[in-house]
C-alpha cells in the first residue's frame, strides 16, 4: 500500500507553489502553515515575505490566493489581519484522505516509511548482575522500548543493546564466596522463577559482603579472584557466568511483568568489550587524544573544570592499570560504529550521567569514531519522585523494588476494572488480564507522557484514574469504540465524502490525519511524550464527537451512521497503533 500524504503536506506544497508563481522574485518561500482555531489551517509566511520584498502583505496574500488551483482540497480561503491566510478544507478532501488511510491493508494507516533509513543502536534497560532492579531502572526500560518501536515503525533499522553491569571488582567477592560455599546459588522451586533467583542472589551478595568486610584473608582472596577473572581463568569465568545466567532469569521475569521483550542476543554487557579495552586505550594514546597524567590515561577538556578551577579529566585507564567506565563506553562506540554499521547511537541514560557522556562523545569525536556521518545522542531522563516531590523511596527510606511497584499498580488497576466488570460482562480471567494491561499501561504512560528530561511524581491513584491524561482514559476510549461497533448491527463503517461534516467530525478527522507527521517528529527528536500527547488529544476529540454527534441514532440517515462508524473505527485503529508503539495494550472490553 502506498503511503498517504497528509492534508497539511498537500496544502503546504500547493501554497509554496502558489507563492513561487505569484512572487517569482521571492525564491523558495515557506508558507508557515499551522493548525488554527479560526479555520482548519493558517498560513503566516506572507508577512515575513512582504517585509523582504517591501510590499503590502494583504496585497501579496491576495495574489497568492488568486494563483491557487481550483478544485483542490481548499473550500474557503480568507485573507486576515496583516496578510494571514485562514484556510478551510472541503469535507470531501478530509474524508477521502482518511479513507485512503483506512484502506492501508498493511496496518500502517498510510504512514510513510523514511525515505533514507539508517541504522540506530539504542542502549537502554541496563540492570546490574546480582542486583535487584528498582524504580530507577523503570525509565530507561520504558522510554527505550517505546523509541525502539517508534523508530522501527518509521522504517529505521534498529539494533537493541542492553549494557548490563556484569563486570567489576564485586564479582571477585561473589565468585570467591561461591568457591568456598559450593551450591550457594541453588534455590528451591522452578529454575525459571525470577523471584527465587533474585532472592538467592541477594542472600549470596549479603553473606559475601559481610565476609569481605570482616575477614581480611577473604578480602585478599577476593581481590586475587578479580585478577583471575580479568585474566580469563576458566573456573572463574564459569562461576561468573553462573551469576550472569541466574540474573538473566530474574531480568526476564521483571521485563515480562513490564510486558516488554528483552532478547538474549541483545544483552551485551560490560564484559562484551573486554577484548577491545587495551586497543582502545592504545589508539587514544597514540593519536594524542588521551595523555598520561599522574600515571593514569586521561582525556582533558577546556570546558570541564572542578570547583578549584582545574580541568577534570575523563579517566580511561587508572593508575593501577584498571579500566574505567569510559574505556568500556568508548569500546562500545567503536564496536557499534565499526561492526554494527550504526550511523546513530542513542543512549537512554539518567540525566545525572550527562557530563560523563558529554566527555565520552567528545573523546570519540576527537578519535574519529563519531563525526558528520555518525552521531551519538543521550536521551537523558529525570528522576522518579514520590508524591512528596522527593526521590521515590519506601516508608523505610529504601529504594523501591521495581517488581513491588508493578505488582501494586496491577492490583490497583484490577480493582478499577472489577468495579465495571459486571456492567461489561467480563469474566474473572478477563478481569485479571485487563487489570495487568491497565496497571502496566498506567505506569508506562505516566512515564512516557512526561518529557523524558523532566522529573515526574509517581502517583498510582492518579495513574489509574478513569479521567484526565492517563492511559486508562485512552484504553476506555478504545474499548468504548469497540462496544459501539459491536452494537452497530447491520450497519458497517463506510466513508461518504459527499456528506457535510459537523465541526466535531472535522476536528476528529483532521487530528487523525496528523498521526504520521507526529510519528516523524517523535522519531526525529526522540520525544515519545509527543505521541502520548497526540493520543490524549485524539481521545479528547473523540469525547467531544460522542457528545455532539450520535453515531447509532435512529434519526440519522444510513450514510451518516456509516460515515460516523468509519470515523470511530479509524480512531480506534489509530489509538491501538499509537498505544502499541508506546508499549501499551488496548483491551477490547473494559
Amino acid at each position: 500500500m502506498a503511503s498517504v500524504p497528509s492534508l497539511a503536506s498537500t496544502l503546504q506544497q500547493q501554497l509554496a507553489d502558489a507563492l513561487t508563481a505569484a512572487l517569482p522574485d521571492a525564491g523558495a518561500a515557506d508558507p508557515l502553515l499551522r493548525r488554527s482555531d479560526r479555520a482548519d489551517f493558517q498560513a503566516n509566511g506572507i508577512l515575513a515575505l512582504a517585509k523582504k520584498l517591501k510590499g503590502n502583505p494583504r496585497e501579496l496574500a491576495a495574489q497568492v490566493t488568486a494563483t491557487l488551483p481550483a478544485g483542490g482540497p481548499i473550500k474557503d480561503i480568507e485573507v486576515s489581519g496583516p496578510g494571514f491566510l485562514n484556510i478551510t478544507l472541503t469535507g470531501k478532501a478530509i474524508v477521502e484522505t482518511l479513507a485512503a488511510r483506512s484502506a492501508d491493508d498493511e496496518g500502517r494507516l498510510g504512514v510513510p516509511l523514511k525515505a533514507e533509513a539508517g541504522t540506530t543502536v539504542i542502549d537502554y534497560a541496563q540492570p546490574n548482575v546480582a542486583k535487584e532492579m528498582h524504580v530507577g531502572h523503570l525509565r530507561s526500560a520504558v522510554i527505550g522500548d517505546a523509541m525502539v518501536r517508534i523508530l522501527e515503525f518509521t522504517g529505521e533499522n534498529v539494533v537493541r543493546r542492553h549494557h548490563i553491569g556484569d563486570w567489576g571488582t564485586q564479582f571477585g567477592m561473589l565468585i570467591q564466596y561461591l568457591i568456598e560455599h559450593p551450591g550457594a546459588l541453588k534455590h528451591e522451586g522452578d529454575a525459571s522463577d525470577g523471584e527465587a533467583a533474585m532472592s538467592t542472589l541477594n542472600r549470596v551478595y549479603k553473606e559475601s559482603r559481610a565476609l569481605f568486610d570482616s575477614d581480611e584473608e577473604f578480602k585478599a582472596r577476593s581481590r586475587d579472584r578479580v585478577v583471575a577473572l580479568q585474566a580469563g581463568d576458566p573456573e572463574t569465568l564459569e562461576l561468573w557466568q553462573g551469576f550472569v545466567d541466574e540474573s538473566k532469569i530474574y531480568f526476564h521475569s521483571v521485563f515480562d511483568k513490564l510486558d516488554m521483550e528483552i532478547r538474549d542476543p541483545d544483552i551485551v554487557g560490560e564484559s562484551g568489550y573486554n577484548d577491545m579495552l587495551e586497543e582502545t586505550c592504545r589508539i587514544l594514546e597514540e593519536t594524542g587524544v588521551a595523555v598520561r597524567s599522574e600515571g593514569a590515561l586521561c582525556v582533558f577538556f577546556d570546558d570541564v573544570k572542578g570547583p578549584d578551577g582545574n580541568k577534570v579529566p575523563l579517566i580511561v585507564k587508572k593508575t593501577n592499570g584498571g579500566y574505567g567506565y569510559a574505556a568500556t563506553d568508548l569500546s562500545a562506540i567503536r564496536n557499534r560504529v565499526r561492526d554494527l554499521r550504526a550511523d546513530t547511537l542513542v543512549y537512554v541514560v539518567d540525566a545525572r550521567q550527562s557530563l560523563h557522556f558529554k566527555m565520552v562523545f567528545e573523546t570519540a569525536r576527537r578519535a574519529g569514531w563519531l563525526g558528520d556521518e555518525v552521531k551519538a545522542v543521550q536521551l537523558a531522563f529525570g528522576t522518579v519522585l514520590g508524591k512528596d516531590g522527593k526521590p521515590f523511596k519506601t516508608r523505610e527510606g529504601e529504594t523501591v523494588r521495581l517488581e513491588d511497584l508493578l505488582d501494586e499498580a496491577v492490583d490497583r488497576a484490577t480493582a478499577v476494572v472489577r468495579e465495571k466488570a459486571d456492567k461489561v460482562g467480563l469474566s474473572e480471567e478477563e478481569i485479571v488480564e485487563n487489570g495487568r494491561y491497565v496497571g502496566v499501561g498506567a505506569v508506562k504512560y505516566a512515564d512516557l507522557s512526561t518529557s523524558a528530561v523532566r522529573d515526574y511524581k509517581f502517583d498510582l491513584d492518579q495513574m489509574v484514574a478513569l479521567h484526565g491524561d492517563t492511559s486508562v482514559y485512552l484504553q476506555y476510549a478504545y474499548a468504548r469504540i469497540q462496544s459501539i461497533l459491536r452494537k452497530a448491527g447491520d450497519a458497517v463503517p463506510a466513508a461518504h465524502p459527499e456528506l457535510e461534516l459537523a465541526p466535531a467530525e472535522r476536528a476528529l478527522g483532521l487530528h487523525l490525519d496528523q498521526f504520521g507527521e507526529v510519528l516523524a517528529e517523535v522519531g526525529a527528536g526522540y520525544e515519545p511524550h509527543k505521541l502520548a500527547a497526540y493520543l490524549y488529544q485524539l481521545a479528547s476529540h473523540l469525547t467531544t464527537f460522542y457528545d455532539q454527534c450520535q453515531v447509532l441514532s435512529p434519526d440519522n440517515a444510513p450514510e451518516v451512521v456509516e460515515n460516523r462508524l468509519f470515523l470511530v473505527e479509524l480512531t480506534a485503529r489509530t489509538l491501538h497503533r499509537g498505544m502499541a508503539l508506546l508499549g501499551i495494550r488496548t483491551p477490547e472490553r473494559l
Side-chain angles (χ1 to χ4, degrees):
M1 175 72 187
S3 62
V4 179
S6 69
L7 290 162
S9 64
T10 299
L11 188 56
Q12 170 87 9
Q13 187 60 56
Q14 285 196 357
L15 288 171
D17 292 343
L19 281 169
T20 302
L23 308 166
D25 295 337
D30 186 349
L32 298 178
L33 187 71
R34 62 179 178 82
R35 288 297 309 278
S36 171
D37 56 2
R38 296 178 179 273
D40 293 336
F41 292 94
Q42 187 175 81
N44 300 334
I46 292 177
L47 187 60
L49 196 59
K51 289 181 180 179
K52 178 181 176 182
L53 299 176
K54 298 180 180 180
N56 183 302
R58 288 185 64 89
E59 291 179 0
L60 292 178
Q63 292 179 47
V64 171
T65 58
T67 311
L68 285 167
I74 298 175
K75 176 182 180 181
D76 182 59
I77 185 164
E78 173 195 19
V79 179
S80 173
F84 299 147
L85 297 179
N86 291 328
I87 304 164
T88 301
L89 302 181
T90 65
K92 178 182 179 183
I94 295 172
V95 174
E96 285 183 343
T97 298
L98 296 181
R101 295 196 180 286
S102 179
D104 184 351
D105 56 6
E106 295 179 4
R108 296 189 55 81
L109 302 172
V111 176
L113 294 168
K114 292 173 66 174
E116 295 183 11
T119 296
T120 295
V121 175
I122 298 189
D123 189 323
Y124 69 107
Q126 308 109 345
N128 294 309
V129 166
K131 291 185 180 179
E132 282 188 298
M133 293 178 67
H134 53 77
V135 68
H137 292 106
L138 176 66
R139 301 208 72 185
S140 176
V142 170
I143 295 169
D145 181 63
M147 284 313 310
V148 166
R149 294 168 183 263
I150 292 165
L151 288 177
E152 285 185 335
F153 187 76
T154 64
E156 185 77 352
N157 175 37
V158 178
V159 180
R160 301 163 175 80
R161 277 294 176 266
H162 308 298
H163 192 86
I164 64 173
D166 65 350
W167 205 249
T169 56
Q170 75 272 20
F171 285 100
M173 173 187 79
L174 292 168
I175 294 168
Q176 189 60 37
Y177 182 85
L178 199 57
I179 287 174
E180 298 177 15
H181 299 80
L185 279 182
K186 293 181 180 179
H187 57 79
E188 296 181 359
D190 191 338
S192 62
D193 187 337
E195 282 277 6
M198 193 67 250
S199 177
T200 302
L201 288 167
N202 268 337
R203 175 179 52 77
V204 171
Y205 183 87
K206 290 176 181 177
E207 291 173 358
S208 63
R209 185 79 223 185
L211 194 58
F212 186 87
D213 291 339
S214 62
D215 187 332
E216 290 298 322
E217 291 184 359
F218 177 75
K219 182 182 291 187
R221 293 195 298 275
S222 297
R223 286 172 174 164
D224 289 341
R225 187 59 56 184
V226 174
V227 175
L229 177 64
Q230 293 175 339
D233 174 66
E235 179 192 17
T236 304
L237 282 174
E238 183 179 356
L239 293 170
W240 165 81
Q241 188 64 51
F243 280 104
V244 174
D245 292 342
E246 198 73 3
S247 296
K248 283 184 178 180
I249 294 172
Y250 165 69
F251 295 159
H252 285 299
S253 72
V254 177
F255 288 124
D256 183 61
K257 283 191 174 184
L258 264 175
D259 200 13
M260 185 182 300
E261 181 187 27
I262 299 293
R263 304 176 303 206
D264 266 355
D266 301 328
I267 300 175
V268 183
E270 296 168 4
S271 63
Y273 306 101
N274 282 339
D275 294 343
M276 299 178 66
L277 299 182
E278 185 55 41
E279 184 181 30
T280 295
C281 292
R282 177 182 58 77
I283 293 172
L284 292 174
E285 188 169 16
E286 288 179 353
T287 56
V289 173
V291 296
R292 294 284 173 178
S293 177
E294 300 180 10
L297 186 63
C298 305
V299 182
F300 289 91
F301 311 87
D302 292 336
D303 59 344
V304 182
K305 297 180 180 180
D308 57 4
N310 293 326
K311 295 179 181 179
V312 176
L314 179 70
I315 300 175
V316 183
K317 194 172 186 179
K318 303 173 185 177
T319 303
N320 63 5
Y323 300 101
Y325 286 121
T328 302
D329 289 332
L330 288 164
S331 296
I333 288 176
R334 290 179 57 216
N335 167 260
R336 294 166 183 183
V337 174
R338 181 190 65 189
D339 301 328
L340 301 180
R341 303 295 183 186
D343 41 50
T344 304
L345 309 178
V346 178
Y347 293 77
V348 189
V349 183
D350 193 313
R352 289 170 291 190
Q353 297 188 45
S354 293
L355 179 59
H356 169 78
F357 279 98
K358 175 185 175 182
M359 293 193 290
V360 165
F361 295 162
E362 176 57 28
T363 299
R365 277 190 285 270
R366 293 180 186 180
W369 303 327
L370 297 176
D372 294 338
E373 302 300 320
V374 184
K375 68 175 182 177
V377 178
Q378 183 192 358
L379 205 176
F381 56 82
T383 303
V384 181
L385 307 176
K387 291 182 182 180
D388 58 1
K390 298 178 181 179
F392 198 22
K393 301 283 186 181
T394 65
R395 291 180 180 178
E396 295 75 27
E398 300 293 327
T399 301
V400 178
R401 296 172 68 241
L402 183 51
E403 281 193 293
D404 291 344
L405 180 151
L406 294 173
D407 288 343
E408 184 177 358
V410 170
D411 288 344
R412 296 276 193 96
T414 302
V416 171
V417 173
R418 193 177 297 280
E419 287 178 7
K420 292 181 174 288
D422 289 340
K423 182 179 179 181
V424 183
L426 296 180
S427 67
E428 181 62 26
E429 183 180 356
E430 288 175 313
I431 292 171
V432 172
E433 182 180 70
N434 289 352
R436 180 191 175 206
Y437 294 157
V438 171
V440 173
V443 171
K444 289 184 176 182
Y445 186 84
D447 192 316
L448 293 168
S449 60
T450 303
S451 175
V453 74
R454 291 176 53 197
D455 300 341
Y456 80 96
K457 292 182 180 180
F458 194 93
D459 184 343
L460 273 178
D461 291 330
Q462 182 177 335
M463 290 178 184
V464 299
L466 298 178
H467 304 287
D469 190 5
T470 67
S471 69
V472 193
Y473 175 61
L474 302 182
Q475 288 168 322
Y476 267 103
Y478 176 81
R480 187 177 183 184
I481 294 174
Q482 299 309 313
S483 176
I484 289 174
L485 294 173
R486 287 192 295 269
K487 294 175 182 177
D490 294 334
V492 295
H496 288 275
E498 74 280 0
L499 292 176
E500 189 70 27
L501 297 179
E505 292 176 301
R506 295 182 66 85
L508 179 60
L510 288 168
H511 194 74
L512 284 168
D513 190 49
Q514 289 181 280
F515 184 53
E517 293 176 341
V518 170
L519 288 181
E521 184 179 355
V522 169
Y526 311 111
E527 299 173 302
H529 70 280
K530 291 185 176 180
L531 175 56
Y534 168 85
L535 295 172
Y536 173 64
Q537 291 163 5
L538 179 59
S540 299
H541 280 299
L542 184 68
T543 299
T544 302
F545 170 83
Y546 282 143
D547 292 341
Q548 298 180 9
C549 305
Q550 290 190 28
V551 179
L552 300 178
S553 171
D555 296 332
N556 291 339
E559 59 269 22
V560 171
V561 173
E562 292 173 352
N563 201 61
R564 289 179 177 176
L565 284 172
F566 160 73
L567 285 173
V568 297
E569 184 192 47
L570 186 58
T571 300
R573 289 170 59 189
T574 305
L575 279 170
H576 176 75
R577 172 60 70 184
M579 293 287 271
L581 292 176
L582 294 178
I584 300 173
R585 306 256 188 171
T586 45
E588 296 289 309
R589 300 196 304 163
L590 272 178

